[in-house]
Amino acid sequence: MTGKCVWFEGIPFPSLDYSPELLREVQESFLVKDKDVLLLTFPKSGTNWLIETVCLIYSKGDPKWVQSEPIWDRSPWVETKHGYELLKEKEGPRLISSHLPIQLFPKSFFKSKAKMIYLIRNPRDVLVSGYFFWRSAKFVKRPQSLEQYFEWFVEGNVVFGSWFDHARGWMSMRDKENFLILSYEEMKWDMRSTVEKICQFLGKKLEPEELNSVLKNSSFQAMKENSMSNYSLLKGQYFEENGQLLRKGVTGDWRNYFTVAQAETFDKLFQEKMADLPQDLFLWKQ
Ligand SMILES: Nc1ncnc2c1ncn2[C@@H]1O[C@H](COP(=O)(O)O)[C@@H](OP(=O)(O)O)[C@H]1O
Ligand SMILES: CCc1ccc(OS(=O)(=O)O)cc1
C-alpha cells in the first residue's frame, strides 16, 4: 500500500487530518493527565463500541450524551488535528482515543497515572472488517480486493502499521495496574461482565437499571441507528454512500472470506509473531 497516506516513522497514516509534524508534537508534547482515561485500539477492533460503552458508563446509562455529540468529539483521537485541538482545550478528566502504536504514543503517559484500556480483536476479523471499511474511504489507498488487502495486512502495510507490532507493543504494559486489556470477543460473549469489569477498573458504580441501559444503548442495533455514533455524518465527504462502520458486528466472520491457503498463512504468521506471549491473551477460537 503506497500513496494517499501520510508516513511517519515508517508507519502509514490516513491522509486526512494527520501530519508528521503533528504526530511528532503529540509524541513529544501532549500532556496526559492522571485523571485521563485512554482508549487504545488497532483500527477495526471495536474502537467505537468501546468508546460508546465508556461514554454510557460515564453518563450512568443515560443516552442523552451519546445521542447528541459526535463520537469523535466525546473521546477525541489525540493523533488527529481535530482531536488534538479539542483535547488541548478540554478542562477536567478527559476521554481520549488513539490508534497509535506504543512507540509513537505521548511520552507523558508513561510517567502518569492515567488509566488505559487496550481493546484487542482477532486480527483475522480486524483484517476483514478493515477491507470492507477502507474500500469505501476517501482518505486512504483503497484495496481493490480482499486478496490484495490480505497481502498488505500480513506485510504490516496498512494504516497504523503491523497489527502484530501494535498488539505486541501495547501488551508489554499488561502487568501495569493502570492498564486493562479487553477483547472484542469477550464483549460479544458477555457484555454485562465486561461492563462490570470496565466499571471496576475505572472506579465507577452503576445501579442495575443503569447497567441495563448501558447494555441497551451500546448494542449493535442502537449504535447503528445513532447518527452520532455510526459515522453517517461523514458520508459524502469522507466515505462513499455505501460505506458503513457498523457492518456485521460478529466474531469469526473471517471464515466466510479467507481461503484455506490464506488461513494457513495467517496461522503460521501468528505463531511466528506471537508464540512467546501468554496465549490466554488471545481469547478467540482462531
Ligand atoms: N455495538 C457493537 N457491537 C458489535 N460490534 C460493533 C459494535 N459497534 C461497532 N462494532 C463493530 O466494530 C467494527 C469497527 O471497529 P472500529 O470501531 O474499531 O472501527 C465493525 O466490525 P465489522 O466490520 O466486523 O462488522 C463494527 O461492526
Ligand atoms: C473522522 C474521519 C475518520 C478518520 C479515520 C477513521 O478510521 S479509524 O478511526 O482510523 O479506524 C474514521 C473516520
Side-chain angles (χ1 to χ4, degrees):
M1 184 193 68
T2 51
K4 217 168 181 192
C5 268
V6 166
W7 287 82
F8 181 66
E9 301 272 337
I11 292 180
F13 291 87
S15 61
L16 163 89
D17 224 21
Y18 297 79
S19 74
E21 296 73 28
L22 179 69
L23 288 163
R24 176 68 69 208
E25 187 174 330
V26 167
Q27 183 187 27
E28 296 295 336
S29 311
F30 181 78
L31 194 62
V32 174
K33 302 176 194 168
D34 288 344
K35 296 262 185 276
D36 290 337
V37 171
L38 300 142
L39 307 176
L40 235 295
T41 61
F42 190 86
K44 313 324 294 174
S45 301
T47 323
N48 292 277
W49 189 13
L50 177 65
I51 299 171
E52 197 84 337
T53 304
V54 174
C55 289
L56 285 160
I57 291 172
Y58 271 51
S59 66
K60 292 193 165 287
D62 185 338
K64 263 199 246 76
W65 188 28
V66 302
Q67 290 173 358
S68 59
E69 188 176 12
I71 194 160
W72 49 85
D73 288 351
R74 284 183 258 130
S75 180
W77 266 265
V78 65
E79 61 266 24
T80 66
K81 290 175 198 159
H82 178 78
Y84 185 67
E85 290 309 317
L86 270 181
L87 287 168
K88 279 197 302 186
E89 301 304 316
K90 266 203 175 168
E91 302 284 339
R94 301 169 293 186
L95 286 179
I96 302 176
S97 302
S98 179
H99 293 313
L100 285 172
I102 192 167
Q103 72 274 17
L104 301 183
F105 204 69
K107 291 182 173 168
S108 59
F109 165 66
F110 301 96
K111 294 192 197 108
S112 79
K113 296 193 178 103
K115 292 181 180 174
M116 177 178 284
I117 302 176
Y118 185 72
L119 179 66
I120 192 168
R121 183 183 191 186
N122 186 337
R124 300 164 183 84
D125 285 331
V126 169
L127 188 162
V128 170
S129 179
Y131 165 65
F132 285 105
F133 185 73
W134 299 120
R135 73 179 190 166
S136 70
K138 296 185 176 178
F139 50 87
V140 294
K141 186 169 159 65
R142 291 182 198 184
Q144 298 302 311
S145 64
L146 182 65
E147 200 180 4
Q148 183 182 49
Y149 192 71
F150 185 94
E151 290 306 316
W152 293 353
F153 193 94
V154 298
E155 288 162 6
N157 203 2
V158 293
V159 282
F160 296 94
S162 156
W163 179 90
F164 299 96
D165 293 349
H166 200 279
R168 287 189 70 86
W170 280 112
M171 288 202 166
S172 67
M173 297 279 293
R174 64 187 179 278
D175 292 330
K176 304 260 188 276
E177 63 177 22
N178 63 337
F179 190 80
L180 175 70
I181 299 179
L182 294 178
S183 71
Y184 180 93
E185 289 74 20
E186 69 180 301
M187 289 172 79
K188 282 295 295 184
W189 295 330
D190 191 353
M191 184 57 170
R192 183 176 292 274
S193 301
T194 311
V195 171
E196 285 169 349
K197 204 194 251 190
I198 298 173
C199 287
Q200 180 159 23
F201 177 66
L202 298 180
K204 303 275 181 195
K205 171 108 185 64
L206 293 179
E207 296 303 325
E209 66 278 13
E210 295 170 342
L211 175 53
N212 286 339
S213 186
V214 171
L215 298 179
K216 181 174 155 215
N217 289 292
S218 63
S219 69
F220 185 81
Q221 204 49 40
M223 283 187 67
K224 201 171 171 68
E225 287 165 13
N226 181 358
S227 64
M228 294 296 147
S229 310
N230 63 16
Y231 283 25
S232 57
L233 298 176
L234 302 175
K235 278 194 182 162
Q237 195 181 0
Y238 299 133
F239 296 98
E240 303 295 349
E241 283 305 318
N242 63 357
Q244 48 180 352
L245 174 72
L246 288 110
R247 188 184 59 94
K248 282 195 186 171
V250 298
T251 59
D253 193 35
W254 67 273
R255 292 175 191 282
N256 297 317
Y257 294 96
F258 280 21
T259 62
V260 172
Q262 284 172 332
E264 284 172 8
T265 302
F266 205 99
D267 287 353
K268 195 157 166 274
L269 186 65
F270 194 90
Q271 273 305 312
E272 269 168 38
K273 301 266 192 187
M274 312 305 266
D276 59 323
L277 287 171
Q279 296 300 298
D280 59 0
L281 291 171
F282 312 121
L283 280 176
W284 49 83
K285 300 179 197 76
Q286 283 208 341

